[in-house]
């Protein structure tokens, strides 16, 4: 439970520090306006001093958030021309940051039809290519290694299967799931490794006043598989498109990335890598969304579970080696999920 007194004290301190950083008298600066709290412990506020451009003040408690990683990735992306908010100030000990205000227009509500999606996804692919061309020798990012990939998927069994659906895995079930996890790790690690934003989706992409796209929530960037961010964009957990459209966009990105000099697998194998990378991500997300509800009290993420389940089953059905996992999910987990108030069937 959030301590409102602690939150109010932090907001007051953030307001004073932000005013001082802008060389203003805090008594003459309007109160902070809450913009959002995301799936982490970060809180974002808009500060609009009279006669000046608005800025975003952030409280990211340093005992809970890796602000050093945020600042390092922001600097790397900014230096390479990727549209991320300029960093205007940082108070390390208290976890206060000031950054450029990108406005309030998320990409998600603008994805109203295929034509709109085509327009914005083309621009998003431009940003993705910019990131993937950054030399990893300059990045000093953590590796998206087998241990991290596995730990992410383990959230599925811990939080979605056991905690949310109240199902205990029998030894044979655990062995089967472990085999799928191992295969998904192998596929991810066999791909070319590039800079991965790791949350490159429509709630972390802003549409700026000039019509270009700006990226936020990049602090968890890693060196990882080339298809990961493309999956986040095209199999977004908050919006779905027909499979033919998705595959067409995947191939378009493959053509553009290959022309830009990225060494990718041939088209058929690239689509397979994209699919299985998406399965890894969506297995992980089932666990994360369940945890956000059960541990953090964020019930809104339950509404997004049916789409993530649909993604998981749609991909698993394509590949014979995943047939046992798919049957188990349909025969064991879906009946349990269907008893939950959040469940509704989604088809792709």
């Amino acid at each position: 439970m959030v301590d409102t007194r602690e939150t109010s004290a932090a907001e007051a301190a953030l307001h004073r520090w932000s005013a001082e950083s802008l060389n203003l008298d805090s008594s003459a600066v309007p109160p902070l306006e809450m913009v959002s709290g995301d799936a982490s412990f970060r809180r974002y506020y808009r500060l609009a001093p009279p006669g000046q451009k608005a800025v975003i003040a952030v409280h990211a408690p340093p005992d809970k958030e890796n602000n050093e990683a945020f600042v390092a990735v922001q600097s790397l992306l900014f230096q390479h021309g990727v549209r991320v908010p300029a960093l205007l100030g940082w108070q390390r000990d208290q976890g206060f940051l000031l950054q450029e205000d990108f406005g309030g227009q998320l990409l998600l509500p603008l994805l109203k039809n295929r034509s709109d999606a085509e327009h914005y996804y083309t621009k998003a692919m431009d940003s993705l290519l910019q990131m993937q061309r950054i030399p990893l020798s300059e990045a000093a990012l953590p590796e998206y290694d087998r241990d991290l990939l596995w730990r992410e998927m383990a959230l599925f069994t811990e939080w979605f299967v056991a905690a949310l659906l109240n199902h205990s895995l029998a030894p044979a079930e655990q062995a089967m799931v472990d085999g799928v996890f191992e295969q998904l790790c192998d596929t991810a690690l066999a791909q070319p490794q590039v800079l991965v934003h790791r949350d490159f989706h429509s709630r972390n992409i802003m549409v700026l006043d000039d019509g270009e796209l700006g990226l936020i929530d990049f602090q968890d960037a890693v060196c990882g598989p080339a298809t990961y961010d493309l999956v986040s964009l095209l199999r977004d957990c908050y919006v779905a498109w027909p499979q033919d459209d998705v595959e067409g966009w995947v191939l378009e990105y493959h053509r553009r990335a290959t022309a830009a000099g990225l060494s990718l697998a041939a088209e058929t194998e690239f689509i397979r890598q994209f699919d299985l990378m998406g399965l890894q991500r969506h297995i992980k997300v089932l666990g994360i969304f369940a945890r956000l509800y059960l541990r953090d009290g964020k019930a809104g993420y339950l509404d997004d579970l049916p789409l993530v389940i649909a993604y998981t089953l749609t991909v698993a059905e394509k590949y014979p080696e995943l047939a046992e996992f798919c049957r188990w999910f349909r025969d064991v987990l879906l009946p349990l999920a269907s008893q939950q108030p959040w469940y509704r069937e989604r088809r792709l």
Side-chain angles (χ1 to χ4, degrees):
M1 183 176 295
V2 176
D3 187 326
T4 55
R5 291 174 299 179
E6 183 178 328
T7 300
S8 296
E11 288 180 5
L14 176 61
H15 183 270
R16 287 193 300 272
W17 173 80
S18 299
E20 292 170 3
S21 299
L22 297 170
N23 297 314
L24 298 171
D25 182 348
S26 61
S27 64
V29 176
L32 297 171
E33 174 192 346
M34 171 70 83
V35 176
S36 74
D38 63 10
S40 69
F41 292 94
R42 291 182 296 274
R43 296 294 178 266
Y44 298 86
Y45 305 86
R46 179 166 285 110
L47 188 65
Q52 295 192 23
K53 291 182 65 175
V55 296
I56 296 296
V58 185
H59 181 210
D63 61 327
K64 297 182 175 69
E65 297 295 333
N66 189 348
N67 294 323
E68 284 77 9
F70 173 87
V71 171
V73 177
Q74 184 278 339
S75 177
L76 176 70
L77 297 177
F78 194 84
Q79 290 171 12
H80 282 272
V82 181
R83 290 291 293 271
V84 295
L87 184 63
L88 308 175
W90 178 27
Q91 210 294 329
R92 183 190 301 264
D93 293 340
Q94 296 184 83
F96 295 162
L97 300 101
L98 267 187
Q99 59 189 48
E100 179 184 3
D101 185 1
F102 270 1
Q105 183 59 68
L106 293 176
L107 175 58
L108 178 58
L110 300 182
L111 298 175
K112 298 175 181 177
N113 52 55
R114 189 191 184 286
S115 177
D116 291 340
E118 184 92 39
H119 171 74
Y120 287 114
Y121 286 167
T122 297
K123 289 181 175 292
M125 288 179 190
D126 291 338
S127 298
L128 186 50
L129 280 171
Q130 277 186 291
M131 289 192 292
Q132 293 194 345
R133 285 199 298 257
I134 295 175
L136 292 178
S137 59
E138 298 182 23
L141 295 170
E143 291 188 8
Y144 215 163
D145 58 13
R146 185 177 299 272
D147 180 61
L148 179 53
L149 288 161
W150 190 285
R151 282 190 283 114
E152 288 182 338
M153 290 185 288
L155 297 173
F156 165 75
T157 51
E158 178 183 359
W159 288 97
F160 181 74
V161 178
L164 187 62
L165 301 185
N166 196 30
H167 178 70
S168 297
L169 292 178
E173 291 175 304
Q174 186 68 65
M176 181 272 296
V177 170
D178 286 350
V180 171
F181 287 3
E182 195 70 33
Q183 178 185 348
L184 296 179
C185 287
D186 289 343
T187 302
L189 295 172
Q191 297 181 38
Q193 303 293 289
V194 296
L195 189 153
V196 175
H197 178 290
R198 210 167 162 206
D199 271 314
F200 191 69
H201 57 72
S202 61
R203 288 185 178 175
N204 285 332
I205 300 175
M206 310 289 294
V207 180
L208 308 181
D209 289 343
D210 61 4
E212 297 304 309
L213 303 184
L215 309 184
I216 60 174
D217 208 15
F218 43 74
Q219 65 280 342
D220 293 325
V222 292
C223 168
T227 61
Y228 190 91
D229 283 339
L230 190 63
V231 164
S232 302
L233 178 70
L234 299 180
R235 289 208 175 116
D236 192 329
C237 297
Y238 310 111
V239 60
W241 301 100
Q243 294 307 298
D244 288 347
D245 289 342
V246 171
E247 186 167 313
W249 289 325
V250 171
L251 293 176
E252 174 61 23
Y253 185 76
H254 183 273
R255 287 190 287 271
R256 294 182 60 187
T258 302
L262 296 180
S263 180
L264 302 178
E267 288 185 352
T268 300
E269 176 60 17
F270 187 74
I271 289 175
R272 178 180 176 275
Q273 291 174 346
F274 173 88
D275 281 341
L276 297 185
M277 191 75 258
L279 183 58
Q280 189 276 342
R281 174 173 167 78
H282 292 121
I283 285 173
K284 169 186 74 171
V285 168
L286 288 173
I288 289 175
F289 284 2
R291 184 177 66 181
L292 283 166
Y293 166 59
L294 294 168
R295 188 191 69 183
D296 303 332
K298 297 181 178 182
Y301 288 92
L302 294 177
D303 294 334
D304 301 307
L305 284 174
L307 176 56
V308 184
I309 289 172
Y311 280 140
T312 300
L313 289 171
T314 298
V315 169
E317 287 169 349
K318 286 181 65 176
Y319 296 95
E321 62 269 33
L322 297 172
E324 184 180 2
F325 173 80
C326 190
R327 282 194 300 271
W328 169 74
F329 202 114
R330 287 198 177 279
D331 293 346
V332 176
L333 299 189
L334 269 189
L336 296 172
S338 66
Q339 298 172 24
Q340 300 273 336
W342 49 263
Y343 183 77
R344 63 190 185 282
E345 186 177 8
R346 286 291 302 265
R347 294 185 181 275
L348 296 175

